């Protein structure tokens, strides 16, 4: 028998995970991929001709396994791929995966892993984006979203038949599998992740609908905030470099750290009654759409967003592996609940990535985007153009570096500063936030205000990763965040 390394990865997320705005469907697809490694391990264990299979690494959508086999690499790859294609729960049959096997004999494990990853990338371009769904003669409709994949006819009651205008969404079999699994995974995910860390908290329940998530907001929440959700995305900085050193040890260390973070989040929700962290029915106002590996994605009410980021920041502060720091780039997007989740997820990821591109990979940062009435951009080019139009452009300093907030001491100093004065001062800039003229104008405005009231600007209104951030830009960022910050006295105590 020869040694092998098998790598499997879920791909084409825009077509298989975020092709819908239905939360249950997205959750079902995303959390199914989290179980990819375990199911491949089961498949290898059951295959004749395979011995000593071992799961080396299991991330959010990819896994690496090793073992010994008498089969050829192609035969082993095909058998594993065929088995995944036949699994409906988790709905791997409704997702797109790439599987490749490398013979390890005489090869370094790191080199074999890189080779398998390269083969995965190549195979992705040689496979269907979505595996064609078989046609069946009883099909009467096409899927409401893609208008291609067939939908089975449903048996209807007499009352349903009497309705001439059936507005029910028509869902193909692949989307249906993901939606059904997502409804189940809404509860089972937390039980599986936290049973060792939080036995008493695994019986909690979670909202299944974004409208339910924001219903019955606390009375002190501003009207403009009540209809908003927050999408929080985090991605590890250069975690791939750590995996190259010791893949198994790093993956296990990161898994335990992530579980401790999730336990902290659930404990915070459980004790945070003052902010209505759960609904009148007792459901937690929290949605987990991506977990495992380097990334995480949560959805929650906008009024909880600032404190939520503080909880995450407090837990990940000081993370390290073998003496080297582990940091994250985070993006937080606040927008109306009716905005498509796939759109907000993309913006949150663009925000986090912009901090990485601004050479901030050595620290934990969060970049926050708030959309009140402005329609969020659909494309990354429009996203960067929108930022420059809103805040301006400086040739000497990349704007993302100024917009990123260091989360290790995340706070906003608003005590004694009326909102009216904030807006009055910003109007002095004439809409131009960058440049000496804007800085002189707001400085003069605050000097006049200080003479009248005795108010002095604090040393730090909003934390910055760079002391060169212009004061007008800081004020504009503070104005965007104003409704989503805790009261000044509460923030001072946090």
């Amino acid at each position: 028998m020869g040694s092998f390394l098998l790598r499997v990865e879920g791909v084409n997320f825009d077509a298989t995970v975020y092709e819908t705005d239905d939360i249950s469907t997205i959750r079902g697809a995303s959390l199914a991929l989290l179980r990819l490694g375990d199911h491949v391990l089961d498949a290898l264990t059951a295959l004749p001709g395979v011995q000593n299979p071992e799961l080396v690494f299991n991330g959010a959508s990819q896994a690496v396994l090793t073992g010994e086999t008498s089969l050829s690499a192609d035969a082993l790859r095909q058998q594993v791929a065929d088995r995944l294609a036949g699994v409906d729960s988790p709905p791997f049959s409704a997702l797109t995966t790439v599987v490749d096997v490398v013979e390890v004999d005489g090869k370094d494990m790191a080199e074999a892993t890189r080779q398998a990853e390269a083969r995965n990338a190549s195979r992705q371009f040689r496979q269907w984006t979505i595996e064609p769904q078989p046609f069946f003669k009883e099909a009467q409709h096409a899927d409401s979203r893609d208008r291609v994949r067939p939908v089975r006819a449903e048996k209807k009651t007499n009352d349903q038949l009497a309705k001439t205008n059936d507005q029910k969404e028509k869902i193909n079999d692949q989307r249906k599998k993901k939606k059904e699994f997502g409804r189940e995974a809404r509860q089972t995910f937390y039980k599986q992740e936290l049973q060792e860390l939080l036995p008493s908290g695994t019986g909690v329940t979670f909202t299944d609908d974004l409208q339910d998530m924001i219903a019955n907001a606390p009375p002190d929440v501003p009207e403009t905030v009540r209809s908003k959700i927050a999408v929080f995305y985090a991605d590890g900085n250069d975690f791939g470099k750590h995996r190259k050193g010791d893949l198994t040890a790093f993956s296990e260390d990161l898994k335990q750290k992530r579980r401790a973070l999730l336990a902290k989040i659930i404990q915070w929700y459980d004790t945070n009654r003052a902010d209505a962290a759960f609904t009148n029915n007792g459901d937690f106002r929290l949605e987990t759409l991506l977990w495992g590996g380097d990334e995480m994605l949560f959805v929650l009410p906008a009024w909880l967003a600032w404190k939520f980021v503080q909880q995450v920041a407090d837990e990940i502060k000081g993370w390290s592996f073998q003496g080297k720091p582990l940091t994250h780039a985070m993006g937080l997007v606040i927008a109306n609940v009716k905005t498509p989740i796939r759109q907000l997820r993309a913006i949150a990821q663009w925000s986090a990535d912009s901090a990485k591109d601004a050479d901030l990979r050595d620290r934990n940062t969060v970049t926050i985007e708030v959309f009140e009435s402005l329609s969020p951009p659909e494309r990354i080019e429009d996203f960067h153009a929108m930022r420059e139009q809103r805040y301006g452009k400086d040739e000497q300093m990349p704007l993302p570096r100024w917009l990123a907030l260091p989360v290790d001491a995340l706070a906003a100093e608003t005590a004694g500063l009326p909102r009216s004065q904030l807006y009055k001062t910003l109007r002095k800039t004439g809409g131009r936030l960058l440049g000496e003229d804007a800085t002189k104008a707001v400085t003069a405005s605050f000097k006049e205000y200080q003479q009248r009231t005795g108010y002095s600007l604090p040393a730090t209104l909003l934390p910055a990763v760079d002391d060169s951030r212009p004061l007008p830009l800081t004020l504009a960022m503070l104005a965007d965040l104003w409704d989503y910050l805790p009261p000044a006295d509460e923030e001072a105590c946090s």
Side-chain angles (χ1 to χ4, degrees):
M1 285 196 171
S3 299
F4 70 86
L5 181 145
L6 182 149
R7 189 179 189 277
V8 58
E9 182 174 0
V11 294
N12 304 335
F13 289 174
D14 283 346
T16 61
V17 179
Y18 300 108
E19 88 272 29
T20 176
D21 296 319
D22 180 73
I23 289 296
S24 291
T25 307
I26 296 173
R27 184 196 311 117
S30 176
L31 297 185
L33 291 170
L34 187 59
R35 303 186 187 183
L36 192 55
D38 291 331
H39 276 262
V40 173
L41 180 61
D42 291 342
L44 291 174
T45 302
L47 276 178
V50 176
Q51 292 183 3
N52 305 318
E54 180 182 354
L55 180 59
V56 177
F57 161 69
N58 189 33
S61 60
Q62 54 190 252
V64 173
L65 302 95
T66 58
E68 299 173 344
T69 184
S70 59
L71 302 173
S72 69
D74 287 341
L76 180 59
R77 188 208 74 78
Q78 191 62 55
Q79 290 209 41
V80 171
D82 289 345
R83 290 194 176 223
L84 284 176
V87 177
D88 292 336
S89 184
F92 299 128
S93 60
L95 300 167
T96 305
T97 57
V98 287
V99 182
D100 281 282
V101 177
V102 173
E103 296 174 353
V104 179
D105 294 332
K107 288 191 180 77
D108 176 70
M109 284 293 292
E111 175 59 31
T113 302
R114 286 192 291 271
Q115 188 174 348
E117 184 175 0
R119 290 183 182 181
N120 279 169
S122 173
R123 189 172 301 280
Q124 179 181 358
F125 289 102
R126 291 183 282 118
Q127 287 187 176
W128 290 99
T129 299
I130 305 175
E131 194 67 26
Q133 188 172 331
F135 178 76
F136 36 86
K137 62 182 180 181
E138 65 270 26
Q140 293 188 354
H141 306 284
D143 183 89
S144 298
R145 182 165 292 275
D146 63 32
R147 301 188 180 185
V148 173
R149 285 176 286 182
V151 175
R152 297 181 187 275
E154 297 182 6
K155 293 183 179 180
K156 297 184 178 182
T157 65
N158 290 333
D159 289 341
Q160 290 173 322
L161 290 172
K163 296 179 180 179
T164 57
N165 185 23
D166 183 7
Q167 298 295 329
K168 184 177 180 180
E169 184 180 19
K170 299 171 179 64
I171 303 175
N172 68 76
D173 283 358
Q174 291 173 317
R175 276 212 287 154
K176 190 175 295 184
K177 292 172 187 175
K178 290 180 283 191
K179 185 167 186 172
E180 290 173 353
F181 181 76
R183 287 173 173 168
E184 171 196 338
R186 177 169 60 117
Q187 311 301 340
T188 58
F189 162 71
Y190 298 94
K191 293 180 181 179
Q192 291 172 342
E193 289 292 312
L194 301 179
Q195 57 185 346
E196 297 177 2
L197 287 177
L198 200 66
S200 62
T202 53
V204 297
T205 58
F206 298 81
T207 54
D208 192 41
D209 181 270
L210 295 183
Q211 293 291 348
D212 290 342
M213 179 181 286
I214 62 172
N216 301 311
D220 59 338
V221 171
E223 193 66 34
T224 55
V225 180
R226 291 172 176 266
S227 60
K228 303 290 197 310
I229 57 171
V231 174
F232 174 82
Y233 170 84
D235 185 25
N237 289 317
D238 297 327
F239 281 11
K241 293 181 180 179
H242 295 284
R243 289 196 180 91
K244 291 179 180 178
D246 191 333
L247 178 61
T248 304
F250 177 73
S251 299
E252 184 60 29
D253 181 79
L254 183 60
K255 181 171 69 175
Q256 298 307 321
K257 284 182 168 65
R258 286 284 167 87
R259 284 180 173 174
L261 169 61
L262 189 61
K264 180 181 179 69
I265 291 172
I266 298 304
Q267 288 172 328
W268 175 69
Y269 260 82
D270 193 39
T271 58
N272 196 17
R273 295 177 179 272
D275 291 315
F278 41 88
T279 67
N280 294 343
N281 295 328
D283 295 334
F284 281 27
R285 302 179 191 264
L286 178 69
E287 182 66 62
T288 306
L289 294 184
L290 184 60
W291 184 256
D294 300 357
E295 301 171 292
M296 62 186 90
L297 183 71
F298 296 98
V299 184
L300 59 151
W303 69 80
L304 293 174
W306 183 264
K307 292 183 180 180
F308 180 87
V309 176
Q310 287 178 322
Q311 294 299 314
V312 173
D314 184 63
E315 179 64 27
I316 67 175
K317 182 170 55 180
W319 277 13
S320 65
F321 176 70
Q322 296 181 348
K324 297 180 180 179
L326 299 176
T327 61
H328 290 77
M330 293 167 269
L332 180 73
V333 181
I334 295 174
N336 189 278
V337 67
K338 296 181 180 179
T339 310
I341 284 293
R342 54 188 165 78
Q343 191 175 350
L344 299 182
R345 175 202 62 85
I347 296 171
Q349 184 171 346
W350 296 338
S351 299
D353 289 346
S354 70
K356 293 188 177 194
D357 295 339
D359 197 25
L360 294 174
R361 295 172 181 264
D362 61 340
R363 67 198 77 187
N364 293 313
T365 62
V366 63
T367 304
I368 304 175
E369 303 288 344
V370 179
F371 297 94
E372 295 295 348
S373 57
L374 187 66
S375 177
E378 290 274 4
R379 303 181 305 163
I380 190 169
E381 297 87 355
D382 298 333
F383 168 71
H384 291 300
M386 174 211 70
R387 275 183 162 185
E388 291 183 2
Q389 183 178 10
R390 182 189 296 182
Y391 299 118
K393 183 177 181 179
D394 190 290
E395 300 296 340
Q396 305 301 318
M397 177 67 70
L399 184 61
R401 191 173 179 89
W402 280 334
L403 296 179
L405 304 176
V407 300
D408 291 346
L410 188 62
E413 296 290 341
T414 60
L417 176 61
R419 189 176 193 173
S420 58
Q421 180 61 32
L422 176 63
Y423 282 102
K424 178 181 178 181
T425 301
L426 282 172
R427 284 195 291 271
K428 299 289 185 180
T429 67
R432 295 180 174 272
L433 300 175
L434 305 183
E436 291 185 10
D437 290 344
T439 300
K440 289 179 181 179
V442 299
T443 301
S445 178
F446 271 118
K447 184 176 181 180
E448 185 272 334
Y449 182 68
Q450 180 182 8
Q451 291 173 345
R452 288 191 293 107
T453 65
Y455 172 81
S456 296
L457 277 173
T460 304
L461 279 168
L462 274 178
V465 298
D466 195 298
D467 292 338
S468 67
R469 185 171 68 198
L471 178 59
L473 179 57
T474 297
L475 295 176
M477 294 168 63
L478 190 62
D480 287 342
L481 291 170
W482 191 276
D483 282 337
Y484 308 95
L485 298 172
D489 55 344
E490 185 178 337
E491 179 75 354
C493 298
S494 62

